[in-house]
Amino acid sequence: MTEILNLTIIGGVNKDGVDEPIRSVEISRGEIVGIVGPTGSGKSTLIDDIEQLAQGDTPTGRTLLINGEKPDADIRVDPRQKLVAQLSQNMHFLADMTVEEFLEMHARSRGKDTSLVARVIELANTLTGEPIAAHHHLTALSGGQSRSLMTADIAVISDSPVVLIDEVENAGIKKQEALQLLAGEGKIVVVVTHDPVLALMSSRRIVIRNGGMVDIITTSQQEQDVCGRITEVDNWLMSLRDTIRRGDIVEGIA
Amino acid sequence: MKLVVVAGTPGSGKTSVLLHTIKALIRHGKNPAVVKVDCLWTDDDQRFKKLDIPVHVGLAKDMCPDHFTIYNTDEMLKWAEDEGADVLFSETAGLCLRCAPYPDECLAVCVIDVTTGPNTPLKVGPLLTTADVVVTTKGDLVSQAEREVFRERVLEVNPGCKIVEANGLTGKGAFELAETVRLGPDVCDNMVLRYNPPLAICSLCTGETRVARKHHMGVLRRLDGFMEYKGE
């Protein structure tokens, strides 16, 4: 697999067909970049462009470069060579098979060893409350279980150098742990989010409006401090949630 | 003249994907025309007409729509030529999945919906296995892992095909498909089907409505798989 050092997004057009103001964004290895903007503004479309390594051949006209060069056609379509792993908003499984059968088939499609399946399930169970078992039917998993399973799948089976995450906070899983797991070592992570913790954990955030990239904000020191404080609040909320899930009584404010 | 035969499972998004593909071809200076074949009713022609291209509807009624398409291919090509088109899209509603409406000298496109689950590619038969291009739609409704498993399943039954991941709503995949059409084969005079139609007809095919076995003739297959000929 190609060693990825950086990814370049070359701007296309917005929803009105007008050139988007940001003409080029370069993201380096090890960096977490956020994508922010109102719902319907085109955040997922940008994620899709990255996922398929658009070459001016999508409705936005954007072009993606890897290490400053056009990627090979094979890299774009063959899962065995795929550089991008995506955790999408949609997590309803439609495949009528067990967790184990599905993961084995996915490992095969990625040219990986099927012995990784147990590791995926084990890792998924660190992110979700109610454990997932190999014999469970995919279609019967809850939203949180499905997302945990796919997060672990990306970390172990897909294991691509570029990871795209679309609204990970919506599923009631441990989002910071999930993000750390996905970021792994030296990956490029692009995360669409409205969540202040996740948005401020990124080093920069691309602002989308009307289908176009209109600004890039670098996370300031002040914002990083804010992020630290809201992380505490967030962890506290999470522990309260666990207390309530366990069926315990909340005893005052810690 | 290029012929593109587009078939696929019902509701998979054939028309939506085609609309985007045709727009991309028009931008390339091509002049496409469409024949939409359906069984009983369609209003898809209204959608195609908005693109300001020649559109023709064929209703197969009580004939199999794929057989109807084959039987009328000459006439469709003649019509498209008279309309000044250089690419004819023939969109057909494949139903029984027993045969495939693809001549050898066409670009055979099978549109299939990933939300139907990863076992579907094994059920679609020659419509999928003899296609040049397999267009998978609605991939945005499932996870990447599920898309990849689906893709693996398609390649299991048709290892040589080109897979295009498309989205009828956003137009994803249309540019790629348009490019494949542009580089596709030209029609020749003596087209031959890639896959044989059902190997025989029975008396039901010709209008017999009585159910009892004694009323049926032709080449018939029993529940246990045994095939026999009953006739005069």
Side-chain angles (χ1 to χ4, degrees):
Chain A
M1 192 179 278
T2 322
E3 179 81 12
I4 295 207
L5 304 170
N6 61 62
L7 188 73
T8 312
I9 308 167
I10 296 174
V13 293
N14 70 9
K15 285 183 186 171
D16 301 324
V18 178
D19 279 359
E20 51 189 338
I22 302 292
R23 300 312 302 159
S24 170
V25 183
E26 197 178 307
I27 307 170
S28 306
R29 208 168 174 267
E31 194 178 1
I32 300 178
V33 170
I35 299 177
V36 298
T39 46
S41 59
K43 301 189 293 296
S44 298
T45 308
L46 176 55
I47 285 277
D48 283 345
D49 282 342
I50 302 173
E51 197 257 341
Q52 53 188 313
L53 298 174
Q55 295 301 308
D57 56 357
T58 66
T60 62
R62 292 187 184 117
T63 302
L64 273 289
L65 302 179
I66 288 170
N67 299 338
E69 286 173 24
K70 262 182 81 151
D72 285 348
D74 278 355
I75 287 181
R76 296 184 64 192
V77 295
D78 181 359
R80 282 172 185 79
Q81 303 188 43
K82 220 163 190 169
L83 301 176
V84 181
Q86 184 183 22
L87 187 64
S88 58
Q89 255 172 312
N90 290 305
M91 277 293 142
H92 339 278
F93 281 110
L94 300 155
D96 187 17
M97 46 181 84
T98 65
V99 169
E100 187 172 29
E101 285 169 333
F102 180 77
L103 293 175
E104 278 178 2
M105 213 180 278
H106 189 219
R108 270 204 298 279
S109 80
R110 282 256 173 178
K112 297 281 172 66
D113 200 292
T114 51
S115 64
L116 295 172
V117 169
R119 174 86 190 112
V120 175
I121 297 172
E122 188 188 326
L123 210 52
N125 284 333
T126 64
L127 299 172
T128 186
E130 198 66 16
I132 302 163
H135 68 271
H136 283 166
H137 267 265
L138 274 184
T139 44
L141 298 183
S142 74
Q145 285 177 317
S146 303
R147 200 165 275 253
S148 302
L149 190 66
M150 283 303 90
T151 304
D153 175 283
I154 286 173
V156 177
I157 292 177
S158 300
D159 192 27
S160 301
V162 179
V163 178
L164 308 176
I165 305 163
D166 204 345
E167 314 253 6
V168 74
E169 65 266 26
N170 292 346
I173 67 169
K174 296 173 185 165
K175 60 194 175 194
Q176 279 162 293
E177 278 92 330
L179 190 61
Q180 267 150 16
L181 189 64
L182 290 169
E185 267 177 45
K187 290 193 181 186
I188 287 173
V189 180
V190 181
V191 51
V192 169
T193 188
H194 299 297
D195 185 290
V197 180
L198 295 180
L200 298 179
M201 267 171 80
S202 60
S203 54
R204 285 182 295 164
R205 47 193 199 271
I206 300 169
V207 184
I208 308 277
R209 209 172 295 139
N210 191 35
M213 300 184 284
V214 296
D215 199 5
I216 302 176
I217 299 170
T218 301
T219 309
S220 66
Q221 186 57 52
Q222 198 187 349
E223 283 182 331
Q224 286 174 32
D225 295 344
V226 171
C227 182
R229 283 173 54 206
I230 49 179
T231 300
E232 284 168 26
V233 175
D234 208 61
N235 288 342
W236 175 57
L237 274 175
M238 185 69 105
S239 70
L240 281 179
R241 239 179 247 135
D242 280 344
T243 308
I244 286 167
R245 274 202 190 110
R246 278 197 306 270
D248 291 348
I249 289 165
V250 179
E251 290 164 347
I253 293 171
Chain B
M1 174 77 72
K2 292 181 190 298
L3 172 63
V4 182
V5 177
V6 184
T9 49
S12 56
K14 295 184 288 293
T15 305
S16 298
V17 168
L18 263 192
L19 287 167
H20 289 287
T21 307
I22 287 169
K23 277 188 220 161
L25 277 171
I26 293 171
R27 277 197 291 275
H28 259 113
K30 285 281 178 188
N31 297 311
V34 178
V35 175
K36 166 78 190 190
V37 173
D38 222 316
C39 300
L40 300 177
W41 179 87
T42 183
D43 64 354
D44 286 343
D45 51 321
Q46 302 304 322
R47 298 174 68 192
F48 287 118
K49 274 183 185 144
K50 286 187 186 140
L51 301 179
D52 212 19
I53 56 164
V55 183
H56 201 302
V57 167
L59 290 180
K61 305 272 182 176
D62 40 18
M63 189 175 177
C64 158
D66 286 349
H67 296 189
F68 177 88
T69 303
I70 306 293
Y71 178 63
N72 287 291
T73 295
D74 287 343
E75 205 180 326
M76 290 178 190
L77 287 166
K78 171 83 173 52
W79 165 81
E81 204 166 324
D82 291 347
E83 294 284 341
D86 48 16
V87 182
L88 170 64
F89 285 91
S90 158
E91 183 191 333
T92 169
L95 283 184
C96 76
L97 309 179
R98 163 57 187 78
C99 63
Y102 312 130
D104 50 357
E105 298 296 321
C106 78
L107 186 76
V109 179
C110 175
V111 182
I112 178 168
D113 166 358
V114 301
T115 66
T116 53
N119 288 331
T120 304
L122 312 179
K123 300 176 190 167
V124 176
L127 202 62
L128 177 66
T129 57
T130 64
D132 301 307
V133 181
V134 175
V135 176
T136 61
T137 55
K138 307 187 191 176
D140 57 329
L141 299 177
V142 300
S143 62
Q144 187 190 34
E146 213 163 342
R147 283 202 295 282
E148 288 174 4
V149 166
F150 195 88
R151 179 192 166 84
E152 185 72 7
R153 274 288 161 100
V154 169
L155 290 173
E156 261 174 42
V157 293
N158 186 349
C161 73
K162 175 188 172 79
I163 297 182
V164 175
E165 286 188 2
N167 183 320
L169 300 177
T170 64
K172 176 182 175 178
F175 292 83
E176 206 180 336
L177 189 55
E179 196 58 15
T180 311
V181 169
R182 226 163 52 82
L183 302 172
D186 289 307
V187 173
C188 69
D189 280 340
N190 302 302
M191 288 189 283
V192 175
L193 282 178
R194 296 181 191 199
Y195 196 87
N196 68 295
L199 67 157
I201 60 164
C202 67
S203 38
L204 286 163
C205 304
T206 54
E208 177 60 71
T209 57
R210 287 172 297 180
V211 175
R213 183 175 267 190
K214 65 182 177 194
H215 301 298
H216 299 293
M217 287 192 291
V219 178
L220 303 153
R221 189 184 295 276
R222 289 191 204 153
L223 200 54
D224 64 6
F226 182 76
M227 194 144 78
E228 62 182 345
Y229 172 71
K230 261 172 67 181
E232 302 184 3

